Amino acid sequence: MSSFDPPSHRCSALVVLLLLLLGFSVAAADDSRLETPPGCSNKFQMVKVLNWVDGVKGDYFTGLTAQFGASLPSEADQSVRLRASLVDPLDSCSNLSSRLDGRIALSIRGNCAFTEKAKHAEAAGASALLVINDKEDLDEMGCMEKDTSLNVSIPVLMISKSSGDALNKSMVDNKSVELLLYAPTRPAVDLTAGLLLLMAVGTVVVGSLWSELTDPDQANESYNILSKELSSAGTRKDDPEKEILDITVTGAVFFIVTASIFLLLLFYFMSSWFVWVLTIFFCIGGMQGMHNIIIAVLLRNWRHLSRKSVKLPLIGTMSWMSLLVNIFCLAFAVLWFVKRHTSYAWVGQDILGICLMITALQVVRLPNIKVATVLLCCAFVYDIFWVFISPLIFHESVMIVVAEGDSSSGESIPMLLRIPRFFDPWGGYDMIGFGDILFPGLLICFASRYDKFKKRVLSSGYFLWLTIGYGVGLLLTYLGLYLMDGHGQPALLYIVPCTLGLAVILGLVRGELKELWNYGVEESESNTSEDPLPVA
């Protein structure tokens, strides 16, 4: 389609190819709780710790309950606001020197068991025990089933080092500190995850049908004439101005290996400047993608807008329409970059990301199921290894660590779609990485082109069924998150079997697997330059 500028397409594609496998899937999981009797069978619960210093309310802290002790109410109005006091000794590993009747005890970590700390705090009359961790992470406070201190009847929870330091500073300054503890229950069904699923599936569908949506006449003509040319560099041209990059088997394997090396570099050398560089690349790619999409939509009905041009230094000649759209896209990307830490920045991030991915699906293509199998199987292993197996080697999940970004600066990698959990009292975001959209998206785009070339209706083709399979794969991903208590899941573990596996099964049933597997190969050997190669 003439509205797409080849350099813009290739710039966007290169950005995506460099950062494609940094995508990851994180979604809300059910954290519902049941009342449990005293013992060592309590479920770990996230707790909100509201605090007041000299009567002034501050931001809430987050805590994690122990595997023992009393349960906390799920609503703030069901809890009681109590004064907090540091214990003596500070580690609460021996009998406390003073009574703490009706107060919340604050203790640091020590060399004794958590159950022993709770036993001493309860004996001193404390209404609850907060253990201040010696790091920012919240460790799970477990116990042994045969422990004699299992009948702890007060709530016990852990807070982070920074939260404890803030409370401790206020107490050292002789300020009155009051706390209110409660454990909000997350909804059993995360509705925002459904919105994210629709965004992911919608991006793939629009990317697959983009030519038909923006220029149906030219799309039909290109498939009817079949005037596709195969260049020696592996680039196909659908029209004089649109360049297509076909992935090869070697290229697919090389890309996965390169992505793994890049992921390790991020793991070991993650810093704010590194994330800034990736964010700038994201802005450039998103800006180019947005430009291509806006131009395509405008030219669909108003082709005369591209006739007036202007010559610019260093850039050359471009239409006034393209210049104005570029200015708008640049302003949008810069505004998002400046405001990326605000609560509403997810909107701009999703818009830029969707534009980038739709454009990438027009530029990068899978020529047949053979290449699709190599690429998706390698990505399948990649996702599983870096999420589940890497902790055995690196002592933590490399994919999850990279996904969290630079904790010291609050910067995170933007190559993902995200939506706030509007109905979750804990907030946060549901997220899905670009890789979990683009990899199956490339296969679904191939299915769409193949159906178009074969003149198939929806029910007898591959596009509809693979799209449904992709949606089912995303649903299984969220089900896995639910069953695994929210621990990060490799989405491709579920998506690849539901898309590639389905394509192979349909091909076998219909007797077309050999054609799908070698599509574009046998034709290239039998066709001459006078008999151009059809491209799906």
Side-chain angles (χ1 to χ4, degrees), residues 213-216 294-305:
L213 293 174
T214 56
D215 201 340
I294 294 176
I295 290 293
V297 172
L298 291 176
L299 290 182
R300 189 181 191 278
N301 296 314
W302 301 288
R303 290 188 176 274
H304 65 279
L305 295 177

Side-chain angles (χ1 to χ4, degrees), residues 9 12 30 64 131 149 215 222 270 314 353 389 406 454 488 535-536:
H9 262 282
S12 301
D30 176 60
L64 180 67
V131 178
S149 305
D215 201 340
S222 64
M270 176 70 70
L314 302 178
I389 303 178
D406 181 31
K454 292 290 187 178
V535 180

Side-chain angles (χ1 to χ4, degrees), residues 15 44 102 202-203 315 378 410 454 508 532:
V15 172
F44 295 108
T203 299
I315 298 177
C378 288
K454 292 290 187 178
L508 282 172

Side-chain angles (χ1 to χ4, degrees), residues 91 107 170 188 209 211 241 256 326 342 385 397 404 420 454 502:
D91 59 6
S107 166
S170 298
L209 304 177
S211 296
E241 296 187 11
I256 299 298
N326 266 315
T342 59
F385 178 84
S397 174
E404 292 174 348
K454 292 290 187 178
L502 180 59

Side-chain angles (χ1 to χ4, degrees), residues 219-293:
N220 290 331
E221 181 182 357
S222 64
Y223 281 105
N224 289 332
I225 297 177
L226 298 177
S227 57
K228 309 291 192 296
E229 297 180 356
L230 180 64
S231 69
S232 59
T235 301
R236 300 184 188 274
K237 292 188 176 182
D238 290 339
D239 59 60
E241 296 187 11
K242 183 177 178 181
E243 297 188 9
I244 303 300
L245 176 64
D246 277 344
I247 301 174
T248 63
V249 171
T250 303
V253 175
F254 177 77
F255 176 66
I256 299 298
V257 173
T258 303
S260 296
I261 296 173
F262 192 46
L263 192 68
L264 278 177
L265 289 175
L266 284 171
F267 177 72
Y268 283 112
F269 303 106
M270 176 70 70
S271 61
S272 58
W273 69 267
F274 207 155
V275 178
W276 290 340
V277 170
L278 298 181
T279 304
I280 291 173
F281 271 104
F282 169 77
C283 289
I284 294 172
M287 183 181 69
Q288 292 289 344
M290 181 182 291
H291 169 269
N292 293 334
I293 288 176

